[in-house]
Amino acid sequence: MAMAAASASAMARRAASWPRLLLLSHAFAAAAEPKRVLVPVADGTEPVEAAATADVLNRAGARVTVATADPAGDDRGLLVEAAFGVKLVADGRVADVEGEAFDLIALPGGMPGSANLRDCKVLEKMVKKQAEQAGLYAAICAAPAVTLAHWGLLKGLKATCYPSFMEKFTAEIIPVNSRVVVDRNAVTSQGPATAIEYALALVEQLYGKEKSEEVAGPLYVHPQPGVDYVIDEFNSVEWKCSGTPQVLVPVANGSEEMEALNLIDILRRAGANVTVASVEDKLQVVTRRHKFNLIADIMVEEAAKREFDLIVMPGGLPGAQKFSSTKVLVDLLKKQAESNKPYGAICASPAYVLEPHGLLKGKKATSFPPMAHLLTDQSACDSRVVVDGNLITSKAPGSATEFALAIVEKLFGREKAVSIAKELIFM
Ligand SMILES: *[C@@H]1O[C@H](CO)[C@@H](O)[C@H](O)[C@H]1NC(C)=O
Ligand SMILES: *[C@@H]1O[C@H](CO)[C@@H](O)[C@H](O)[C@H]1NC(C)=O
């Protein structure tokens, strides 16, 4: 509602200075063209927040540009070393899109990512212009405090941010301890585990409530944000590993980015040694939704020479189909299952990879609900996260954080998982 008023007043202002005909043709063009969203990224950006913003807005039909925002004077090209060692290749540079109009500029958080965004003069100019023209702008995690507040763009507004950064808010900002805050044309939020709620709020501002509900449906978001995660466990066994858990996360073109990045980010936070392996013909893969270019650590053939304490797959199509047809990965998974070592999958991958290769035999599992009929045993399909002995499965992008937290609990214990859940603002 705040946004409707804001864009209406922006329209009115434009209308005052534009001939009527031009305004009409502009309105038609605007209806036909997708809304444009800019997600700037920099070294140290929190990848889960960047991915959730880009992915969810893309699902709503927005044209999302992920652009590198280099601190003044630098040109680091398109490669970004996001937080937790995640390497991304952006679509372009902020400097290249400076003159373009965006319906939304949404800043992901993370440190030093938020400080790097803050120090990018071109971005500062763009977001200030966006605010002056009553356009929508947003920030999550450290970015409301470190970036927007620093630029003076939250003055007089209610806003939130990552709780430990709240003290950086100046006196003119009205702090609100809430997962997502919308005030006039500024939207702010708290952390990686509020990123989907935040992105859905952005969809609502741009497209309305109905659209945001339509987008939320297939994400299977947590019905009660802010509460504990639930693991439905059968045939409980201890997941043993000696020393640092060695985890393999395969990625393919068409892997779901929120699922891949929640796994990589959260397991690395917990202290696991996560190796991201490409099953394509090169290290760079392109994810499903926003077409984030993710750079894997190694090729799967190289991974096959090593032993892993856990192999866990993101979903997304055609990523899951590619996993299923990659013999070296399937062999690794079979070996893992035969030696009673943990393996898991989320979303499309239980149905498209594990089931056809007999890796769900005699096991309870869950999957992306529209694919649940492909599972032989569907008795646990209503659960968001299912553990059966050494197997762990989960539903959808909206349960990806719970899935990763459940893995942390199995590998490191409940205490560690709860402390990371709090760090992510999951609970
Ligand atoms: C982490 O995995 C890499 C291979 O990807 C390996 O070379 C390294 O020794 C591992 N580190 C630890 C601490 O286990
Ligand atoms: C996978 O994505 C990469 C990176 O965008 C691309 O270069 C490659 O050709 C793709 N592979 C296939 C099989 O489409």
Side-chain angles (χ1 to χ4, degrees):
M1 334 103 265
M3 180 50 203
S7 55
S9 75
M11 284 275 275
R13 209 170 312 146
R14 270 179 235 142
S17 58
W18 282 1
R20 193 175 162 73
L21 253 181
L22 183 62
L23 178 74
L24 268 177
S25 69
H26 177 80
F28 279 118
E33 271 169 32
K35 305 227 186 236
R36 295 204 57 195
V37 176
L38 177 65
V39 179
V41 291
D43 287 349
T45 286
E46 170 47 60
V48 166
E49 293 162 359
T53 310
D55 182 329
V56 172
L57 281 147
N58 175 286
R59 286 167 185 260
R63 202 171 119 214
V64 182
T65 302
V66 176
T68 54
D70 297 309
D74 288 8
D75 176 13
R76 300 280 316 280
L78 300 183
L79 182 67
V80 162
E81 178 115 15
F84 302 101
V86 172
K87 292 187 260 340
L88 301 173
V89 182
D91 307 325
R93 302 176 320 142
V94 163
D96 299 330
V97 294
E98 188 185 354
E100 295 174 27
F102 290 93
D103 299 283
L104 162 66
I105 302 177
L107 314 180
M111 283 301 275
S114 302
N116 286 332
L117 297 185
R118 176 197 66 205
D119 295 340
C120 174
K121 294 288 171 224
V122 178
L123 182 65
E124 177 177 355
K125 221 165 98 191
M126 285 178 79
V127 185
K128 282 184 170 169
K129 192 168 142 213
Q130 184 83 356
E132 273 160 26
Q133 298 181 339
L136 190 62
Y137 59 101
I140 184 167
C141 196
V146 173
T147 318
L148 288 184
H150 183 86
W151 291 338
L153 294 180
L154 292 177
K155 271 186 197 151
L157 296 177
K158 294 196 189 82
T160 193
C161 70
Y162 195 75
S164 62
F165 281 88
M166 212 72 139
E167 64 194 28
K168 289 197 189 304
F169 273 0
T170 52
E172 306 115 307
I173 304 170
I174 307 146
V176 181
N177 183 18
S178 154
R179 296 171 71 81
V180 183
V181 175
V182 181
D183 193 1
R184 267 170 277 173
N185 47 332
V187 180
T188 49
S189 185
Q190 293 190 320
T194 67
I196 292 184
E197 293 153 68
Y198 159 76
L200 287 169
L202 295 173
V203 170
E204 185 176 337
Q205 295 304 307
L206 286 178
Y207 297 93
K209 186 148 189 69
E210 204 176 313
K211 186 64 162 184
S212 109
E213 282 168 3
E214 181 193 315
V215 172
L219 294 172
Y220 296 89
V221 289
H222 199 296
Q224 296 162 280
V227 306
D228 203 354
Y229 59 92
V230 175
I231 309 176
D232 286 314
E233 186 158 16
F234 304 88
N235 306 308
S236 177
V237 295
E238 205 185 315
W239 287 10
K240 287 191 206 72
C241 25
S242 46
T244 305
Q246 307 292 321
V247 178
L248 179 66
V249 177
V251 289
N253 287 350
S255 287
E256 215 298 326
E257 51 260 61
M258 289 196 275
E259 294 165 357
L261 291 172
N262 266 284
L263 283 169
I264 299 165
D265 181 309
I266 294 173
L267 295 178
R268 281 185 180 155
R269 277 176 196 262
N273 188 18
V274 178
T275 300
V276 181
S278 167
V279 301
E280 300 291 350
D281 53 6
K282 53 182 178 184
L283 291 177
Q284 187 168 329
V285 301
V286 55
T287 56
R288 168 159 166 66
R289 279 293 166 177
H290 171 61
K291 305 185 173 48
F292 249 138
N293 287 288
L294 194 62
I295 302 185
D297 303 315
I298 60 176
M299 298 299 295
V300 71
E301 291 76 15
E302 209 177 311
K305 297 178 194 147
R306 292 184 43 207
E307 301 264 318
F308 292 94
D309 297 302
L310 167 69
I311 303 175
V312 62
M313 291 174 284
L317 293 177
Q321 287 147 320
K322 179 71 184 185
F323 290 156
S324 196
S325 64
T326 302
K327 184 168 186 301
V328 48
L329 176 61
V330 172
D331 287 348
L332 263 179
L333 287 162
K334 286 184 174 166
K335 198 175 88 189
Q336 195 80 359
E338 279 156 18
S339 45
N340 291 318
K341 282 161 78 179
Y343 61 102
I346 183 169
C347 198
S349 288
Y352 277 78
V353 192
L354 299 180
E355 176 73 36
H357 291 291
L359 292 162
L360 294 183
K361 214 176 204 167
K363 300 255 187 203
K364 298 214 178 293
T366 189
S367 89
F368 188 53
M371 299 171 183
H373 65 281
L374 297 170
L375 267 50
T376 307
D377 180 348
Q378 293 159 28
S379 60
C381 280
D382 287 339
S383 301
R384 297 176 66 77
V385 181
V386 176
V387 174
D388 188 343
N390 286 309
L391 169 72
I392 184 163
T393 50
S394 187
K395 263 186 163 164
S399 68
T401 305
E402 292 149 74
F403 182 51
L405 287 170
I407 293 170
V408 173
E409 181 166 333
K410 289 299 294 181
L411 291 175
F412 297 92
R414 167 84 185 161
E415 205 179 314
K416 181 81 183 176
V418 167
S419 104
I420 290 188
K422 290 184 173 153
E423 182 181 314
L424 297 167
I425 322 294
F426 181 85
M427 57 198 241

